[in-house]
Amino acid sequence: MKKPLNHLLVSAFVYAGLGVASGLFYREFTKLNGFPEGAFTQLGLAHTHLLSLGFFPFLILLGLERAFTFSASRKRFGWFLGLYHAGVILTSAMLIVHGCLTVLGLESSAMISGIAGLGHMAITAAIIVLFLALRTAVRGVERPAAVAA
């Protein structure tokens, strides 16, 4: 990846937009369908998932990339991005599908929960790969200082 800082910044921006849009959709969709105010639906969780798993982490990763250049582990960085994006999008999409079914009074299936579980597994794998890349980057920063002393 040629411009990892730009990718992380754009990712944060896109997830912020998706988070705000999903919150708006939640409010309007429930209102349009006469869903009781305050009743639980997973639509509201999509909003917080997109912000807390998409927007905020990519802002933090922007700073970590600037400090440690963990994208130098190109393979790990690529795997992290692919797994993480897929996981967050899959999880959030299933929250929206499940929430829409609830609002419409339709029955959900175990398949939706299973697919959301796959999204969570992808996020978990991505975090492991991220820590491996960060460990390599931090060790690379610490070594030259020890040699100079």
Side-chain angles (χ1 to χ4, degrees):
M1 176 166 299
K2 292 181 181 176
K3 298 181 179 181
L5 285 172
N6 190 51
H7 182 92
L8 295 170
L9 179 64
V10 169
S11 295
F13 178 75
V14 168
Y15 282 118
L18 289 173
V20 170
S22 68
L24 176 66
F25 177 74
Y26 162 62
R27 188 186 75 202
E28 296 303 320
F29 189 70
T30 54
K31 198 184 301 182
L32 181 70
N33 287 287
F35 195 72
E37 190 174 330
F40 179 75
T41 173
Q42 289 188 352
L43 273 178
L45 297 177
H47 168 71
T48 54
H49 271 68
L50 285 164
L51 292 175
S52 63
L53 290 176
F55 173 59
F56 294 124
F58 278 101
L59 285 181
I60 293 166
L61 289 171
L62 196 59
L64 288 172
E65 172 62 16
R66 186 79 170 163
F68 298 110
T69 317
F70 65 90
S71 65
S73 299
R74 293 204 183 281
K75 234 182 198 178
R76 287 181 181 155
F77 186 66
W79 271 100
F80 161 71
L81 288 175
L83 285 168
Y84 198 79
H85 285 307
V88 172
I89 291 167
L90 197 58
T91 300
S92 299
M94 290 303 105
L95 287 170
I96 291 168
V97 168
H98 191 269
C100 287
L101 291 173
T102 302
V103 170
L104 296 172
L106 301 172
E107 190 69 31
S108 180
S109 70
M111 179 183 67
I112 293 171
S113 297
I115 294 171
L118 290 174
H120 282 83
M121 285 186 249
I123 292 169
T124 302
I127 290 170
I128 292 168
V129 174
L130 171 65
F131 274 105
L132 292 173
L134 278 171
R135 183 182 68 180
T136 301
V138 168
R139 285 182 177 170
V141 168
E142 289 174 349
R143 281 196 187 113
V147 173

